[in-house]
Amino acid sequence: RKIDTAMEGFATGFNLEGNTKPGFSVENEKFKLTFSGVFCDERKNIVSHGFECCYDWTHVMEMVLDATEDYNSMADVEEKTEEALKNWLTTFRGWGLLSSMLPIEKHRYFILSLAYASTNWNEATGGPYSVEKIFDTVRYVYENCPGKEIRHLLPRLGVWFEDVVEDTVSFKVNERKKSFTIFLNAKWMLEIKFEVEKKRVNTNLLDLATEAVAQQMTIEDDINRLEIPLTLFDNVYDKFKDVEWVRSHWNFKAELELEEFSEAIEHTDPEVLDEAETTENAFEINNEQDYPGYPENDESIEVQEVNDETMGEELEVNDEPVGEELEVNDETVGEELEVNDETVGEKLEVNDETMCEEQKVNDETVDEEVLSDYANPDVLKPFVETSWTVEYESTLVSSWGAIYLFLVIFAFLCF
């Protein structure tokens, strides 16, 4: 019974209180770590439930937070956590978790050594009895036996970050959260799940300014080319690490969408794909028919060029006959206008001569009649005045007639 009580003391970390059930969290200035749960052999079972409710994960979580101090990258946190976990599992505080996962045949000699040391402990030579002192004594013996070191009992383990994927939560909410897994492969495959949130820490204007600058950087080497005071480079580097943390989340989202699209294509009915391909081909054929200059139709481009050359030659040939006809018509019209001008001129001259002769005859006749009828000088005087007026009016009529005829001829020539 004493041995049983002593062996219970070596099951470090296990308790019935359940101090770190899922949802328990610890944090520091820049990170918050929350315990999510345990999977055993990729599922939930009684073993995973026991590790969730009956094991205290506080020490493990503190190791993870310590690894985030002076954060450089996620890979750096993974490496530091894995190294610290290996060292911790070989200590008295980590022995309870290590021994619970190992097959009994692998560490039975070590357990028997603990039981023997507990039973035969001599307080006179070893000091007051304590479980931790007994463990350290046995460990010291094994560490000094080549090939028997306690580190050879360690199972395969791994540590990694993963981006959070939850359909019920928007990606914007999860951009600062990542899943952190500790994998232990021994008697079972244990996956201890945590959630790591990187806090956005901006306490002054300098933090906000350097964050804005870091968001414009694509790679870390771009920061070296910034023209800023030397004292600000450390701040920009620190903010760039924060930007990379968030940026990896959105890169992962893009990869998921690409995979979903590829899977959708793979699971699409071949008939639907054939129909889509046929539609695309038909669209290209229509483009070739409707647009002879379609970029993918080289033959149609050549045909179009030949048609353009043929049309140009036909236009040149057609222009020559039209030009000749226009020249002939211009000459014919010119000749007809000259003939018409001469004819009109001759007619005008004949009319003018005829009118002058008639006017003279009329004047002589009037004079004779007036002289014969009116011999009285008093009567002659008004007649003379009247005769002068008639002659003056006749001259005006002849002048206005000539102007009228000139206008008629000018209008005829214009039309």
Side-chain angles (χ1 to χ4, degrees):
R1 188 168 186 177
K2 182 179 179 181
I3 295 177
D4 293 340
T5 303
M7 296 307 295
E8 289 178 2
F10 293 110
T12 54
F14 286 93
N15 58 73
L16 298 178
E17 289 79 10
N19 296 329
T20 57
K21 293 181 179 179
F24 175 79
S25 64
V26 293
E27 59 186 292
N28 57 17
E29 183 181 356
K30 295 184 178 180
F31 288 89
K32 179 180 180 180
L33 183 66
T34 304
F35 176 54
S36 300
V38 179
F39 285 85
C40 178
D41 296 332
E42 299 182 343
R43 64 180 186 273
K44 293 285 187 178
N45 52 31
I46 190 171
V47 176
S48 65
H49 182 73
F51 279 105
E52 287 179 354
C53 299
C54 300
Y55 189 78
D56 188 352
W57 296 100
T58 303
H59 294 290
V60 177
M61 297 174 73
E62 288 176 352
M63 278 190 293
V64 177
L65 276 185
D66 291 341
T68 62
E69 294 292 340
D70 299 326
Y71 173 79
N72 185 45
S73 65
M74 287 182 282
D76 184 59
V77 174
E78 292 170 354
E79 183 178 350
K80 289 180 178 179
T81 302
E82 183 174 338
E83 187 65 27
L85 189 60
K86 288 179 179 179
N87 293 331
W88 179 77
L89 287 173
T90 61
T91 65
F92 175 70
R93 295 296 176 187
W95 173 252
L97 180 61
L98 176 61
S99 61
S100 66
M101 294 183 299
L102 294 175
I104 189 64
E105 63 273 7
K106 189 170 184 177
H107 66 301
R108 59 184 177 181
Y109 294 110
F110 194 88
I111 293 175
L112 290 174
S113 299
L114 291 175
Y116 178 83
S118 297
T119 305
N120 299 285
W121 184 257
N122 187 352
E123 293 184 357
T125 57
Y129 175 89
S130 70
V131 178
E132 184 173 358
K133 188 179 294 185
I134 292 172
F135 178 85
D136 290 338
T137 301
V138 174
R139 178 189 175 189
Y140 177 80
V141 173
Y142 273 80
E143 290 295 328
N144 288 276
C145 294
K148 299 294 184 180
E149 295 87 354
I150 193 172
R151 66 176 182 272
H152 293 298
L153 299 177
L154 292 176
R156 292 174 52 196
L157 62 88
V159 177
W160 61 81
F161 281 99
E162 291 178 303
D163 284 282
V164 177
V165 181
E166 293 184 17
D167 296 335
T168 57
V169 181
S170 67
F171 275 90
K172 186 67 176 176
V173 174
N174 288 333
E175 69 177 3
R176 290 193 164 271
K177 296 179 180 179
K178 298 187 186 299
S179 174
F180 187 78
T181 302
I182 296 176
F183 175 77
L184 300 169
N185 186 9
K187 185 164 50 176
W188 309 288
M189 286 191 303
L190 289 183
E191 295 178 63
I192 302 96
K193 298 285 187 178
F194 303 92
E195 182 182 80
V196 181
E197 179 182 0
K198 194 174 190 302
K199 300 177 182 179
R200 183 171 180 248
V201 182
N202 291 324
T203 58
N204 50 47
L205 185 59
L206 176 61
D207 291 336
L208 293 172
T210 53
E211 181 184 57
V213 172
Q215 289 173 349
Q216 306 304 317
M217 302 294 103
T218 304
I219 57 176
E220 190 172 357
D221 293 339
D222 293 339
I223 301 176
N224 296 328
R225 292 190 284 271
L226 291 175
E227 296 180 359
I228 58 176
L230 295 177
T231 55
L232 298 179
F233 275 101
D234 290 340
N235 300 85
V236 177
Y237 275 114
D238 185 60
K239 288 299 180 182
F240 183 74
K241 296 169 186 176
D242 185 73
V243 169
E244 281 190 320
W245 176 280
V246 175
R247 191 174 289 168
S248 67
H249 169 82
W250 294 108
N251 291 339
F252 178 70
K253 179 179 181 294
E255 292 176 1
L256 280 183
E257 292 177 350
L258 181 60
E259 290 179 1
E260 291 176 358
F261 177 76
S262 301
E263 291 178 358
I265 294 297
E266 291 177 358
H267 292 86
T268 303
D269 190 353
E271 295 181 358
V272 176
L273 292 176
D274 293 341
E275 183 178 353
E277 185 176 357
T278 303
T279 303
E280 182 179 359
N281 293 335
F283 175 75
E284 293 179 356
I285 292 171
N286 290 334
N287 282 335
E288 294 174 2
Q289 294 176 351
D290 296 339
Y291 307 99
Y294 191 66
E296 296 181 0
N297 190 5
D298 296 336
E299 296 180 358
S300 62
I301 294 175
E302 296 176 359
V303 173
Q304 182 68 20
E305 292 176 353
V306 172
N307 291 336
D308 292 341
E309 294 176 359
T310 305
M311 290 178 65
E313 294 175 357
E314 292 179 355
L315 288 174
E316 292 178 359
V317 172
N318 291 333
D319 288 342
E320 293 177 359
V322 171
E324 295 175 357
E325 291 178 0
L326 289 174
E327 292 177 0
V328 172
N329 292 333
D330 290 341
E331 294 176 358
T332 304
V333 172
E335 294 175 357
E336 291 179 355
L337 289 175
E338 291 177 0
V339 171
N340 291 332
D341 291 341
E342 294 176 357
T343 305
V344 171
E346 292 175 357
K347 290 181 179 180
L348 287 174
E349 291 177 358
V350 172
N351 290 333
D352 290 339
E353 293 177 357
T354 305
M355 290 177 65
C356 290
E357 292 177 356
E358 291 179 353
Q359 184 66 30
K360 290 179 180 179
V361 173
N362 291 333
D363 291 342
E364 292 175 356
T365 305
V366 170
D367 291 340
E368 292 177 355
E369 291 178 353
V370 169
L371 290 173
S372 60
D373 292 339
Y374 301 94
N376 192 346
D378 295 330
V379 177
L380 184 60
K381 184 178 180 179
F383 173 77
V384 173
E385 293 176 357
T386 303
S387 175
W388 181 85
T389 303
V390 171
E391 185 177 359
Y392 178 75
E393 290 177 353
S394 299
T395 303
L396 290 176
V397 171
S398 300
S399 299
W400 283 111
I403 292 172
Y404 174 75
L405 289 174
F406 175 76
L407 292 175
V408 171
I409 292 170
F410 180 76
F412 174 78
L413 293 176
C414 290
F415 287 103

